[in-house]
Amino acid sequence: MSEHNQSLEAIQDIRRMMKRSSRFISLSGLSGIAAGFWALLGSFFAYNWIYEYYQGYKVSGYTGSSFQLLKYNLLALAIIVLIAALVSAYYFTWLKAKRNNMPLWDHTSKNLLINMLIPLIAGGLLILAMFRYDEWRFVAPISLIFYGLSLVNGSKYTLDDIRYLGFLQILLGLINTQFIGYGLYFWAFGFGVLHIIYGFIMWWKYERGNRQKSFA
Amino acid sequence: MAIKNPIAGLNKIFDNRVRLGVMSILVVNDEISFNDLKQMLEVTDGNLATHLLTLEDEKFIKVHKGFIGRKTNTTYSVTKTGEKAFGDHISALEKMINGIK
């Protein structure tokens, strides 16, 4: 019987080590919820600014300066949302890693980061290139699609569930290409609502139990 | 044919937890540095070095010595022999568990 237990223990050890050494498992669901929250807040502001701009457009017609202002405001907003999302994602993941006594920066997080950055940087550069030709209609679909690709690519180095979130973002981006002009809604749904739903599922699945255990 | 002894596949080398851990990590990663191994297995330098030497002597793992700037960076990877021995060991463990159940 003790031999039986020993082999069982050895196999459990092996499995734990394989997973722990090849995947970054400290990614927190709360990071997703926080990122989704910032995205929705950002979309809300963007919606209001664009709405105000069109109100002004109807009254006083096209003025280059107010359009320029809107463009810069939206760009600044996008950068702020991105930074807020990254900082909160980092914070919650750092908390989870600390709770599990795992390093935040090791070869698994490095692998995850590199593999997520490849599609993200490619997509980001593509969007910048399109701006150069005054082509802004595909910004929302392209950011959704490339973010989805980045999640699919990164899923090999972290929790598998991220893969399905990636598929959904790609699908959403592709649908968006047929509804140009509704980009903000698609963007808010993909980066906001889907992140919150997924973050919650991940938290429910992986973290809720741990927390109860640590209280017990 | 005689009934196979399930324990026959068990490898004495993998009796040790650290050596088993090293092999588990190396089969799913291309290359792992000494420090990453140390961190994941939570062992001391000396302890890990001894076990790595044993595995190296068995030709289960390969050592690559490199540099990052001026600091030495030693990395390890699994050999074909090591992969096979490790696979056999796991199969034997599984057989044992299933046999006794």
Side-chain angles (χ1 to χ4, degrees):
Chain A
M1 196 58 210
S2 81
E3 245 181 15
H4 174 228
N5 281 344
Q6 260 177 18
S7 346
L8 204 61
E9 230 170 74
I11 285 199
Q12 278 162 354
D13 249 19
I14 293 170
R15 180 173 283 168
R16 202 171 50 89
M17 276 301 156
M18 282 178 159
K19 194 170 171 200
R20 189 172 169 167
S21 69
S22 61
R23 284 166 187 262
F24 182 68
I25 53 172
S26 296
L27 200 64
S28 170
L30 297 177
S31 302
I33 296 178
F37 168 77
W38 293 118
L40 282 184
L41 198 69
S43 308
F44 173 76
F45 278 110
Y47 179 83
N48 280 337
W49 291 348
I50 293 170
Y51 183 77
E52 269 169 37
Y53 169 77
Y54 278 113
Q55 293 295 98
Y57 183 80
K58 274 183 205 151
V59 177
S60 52
Y62 179 79
T63 62
S65 66
S66 67
F67 185 65
Q68 280 298 329
L69 186 69
L70 177 70
K71 269 211 298 202
Y72 285 126
N73 280 344
L74 288 179
L75 188 66
L77 181 68
I79 292 169
I80 291 169
V81 167
L82 182 69
I83 291 172
L86 286 177
V87 167
S88 49
Y90 176 84
Y91 172 73
F92 286 115
T93 296
W94 173 77
L95 265 191
K96 188 179 170 188
K98 210 176 74 168
R99 201 166 55 225
N100 294 346
N101 235 334
M102 305 252 290
L104 185 64
W105 186 244
D106 62 0
H107 72 281
T108 60
S109 45
K110 219 180 295 174
N111 272 341
L112 176 62
L113 198 69
I114 290 171
N115 284 284
M116 281 189 74
L117 279 179
I118 295 168
L120 274 187
I121 290 176
L125 290 177
L126 179 62
I127 288 173
L128 284 182
M130 285 169 68
F131 273 145
R132 205 171 103 77
Y133 300 103
D134 253 342
E135 176 56 75
W136 45 268
R137 292 173 303 169
F138 289 96
V139 169
I142 284 180
S143 57
L144 284 167
I145 290 169
F146 277 82
Y147 179 59
L149 289 173
S150 143
L151 289 176
V152 171
N153 207 33
S155 68
K156 283 166 255 161
Y157 304 94
T158 183
L159 305 165
D160 274 329
D161 313 59
I162 296 292
R163 197 176 182 79
Y164 302 102
L165 178 60
F167 289 148
L168 287 176
Q169 303 281 13
I170 294 171
L171 190 70
L172 199 64
L174 288 174
I175 295 172
N176 188 188
T177 58
Q178 301 307 304
F179 297 92
I180 293 297
Y182 294 91
L184 190 59
Y185 296 100
F186 280 89
W187 199 91
F189 185 75
F191 285 100
V193 179
L194 283 185
H195 266 150
I196 291 175
I197 294 173
Y198 246 79
F200 185 73
I201 293 173
M202 304 272 287
W203 177 81
W204 187 267
K205 205 169 148 186
Y206 298 109
E207 289 162 72
R208 184 180 53 111
N210 287 349
R211 177 157 292 188
Q212 279 166 350
K213 241 180 264 160
S214 67
F215 278 147
Chain B
M1 232 183 111
I3 298 166
K4 254 194 178 166
N5 179 5
I7 306 174
L10 284 182
N11 198 322
K12 270 263 174 287
I13 302 288
F14 301 136
D15 268 358
N16 179 280
R17 248 189 136 127
V18 177
R19 293 198 285 265
L20 193 69
V22 169
M23 290 304 286
S24 316
I25 292 169
L26 290 183
V27 288
V28 289
N29 290 282
D30 295 340
E31 236 181 322
I32 293 284
S33 72
F34 186 88
N35 285 332
D36 280 339
L37 280 175
K38 198 176 84 174
Q39 208 170 32
M40 281 184 276
L41 295 165
E42 290 162 351
V43 286
T44 60
D45 278 30
N47 193 352
L48 180 59
T50 321
H51 291 305
L52 285 172
L53 220 57
T54 314
L55 289 171
E56 203 190 330
D57 288 343
E58 293 290 324
K59 303 230 170 358
F60 286 174
I61 61 172
K62 265 184 303 207
V63 185
H64 318 268
K65 294 210 190 263
F67 286 91
I68 294 181
R70 279 187 192 166
K71 267 173 78 184
T72 54
N73 180 43
T74 310
T75 59
Y76 298 86
S77 62
V78 72
T79 62
K80 280 266 182 310
T81 323
E83 225 174 308
K84 174 151 191 329
F86 185 69
D88 291 345
H89 185 74
I90 292 182
S91 309
L93 282 175
E94 272 170 355
K95 268 187 210 140
M96 268 183 69
I97 291 170
N98 291 332
I100 297 165
K101 225 190 274 175

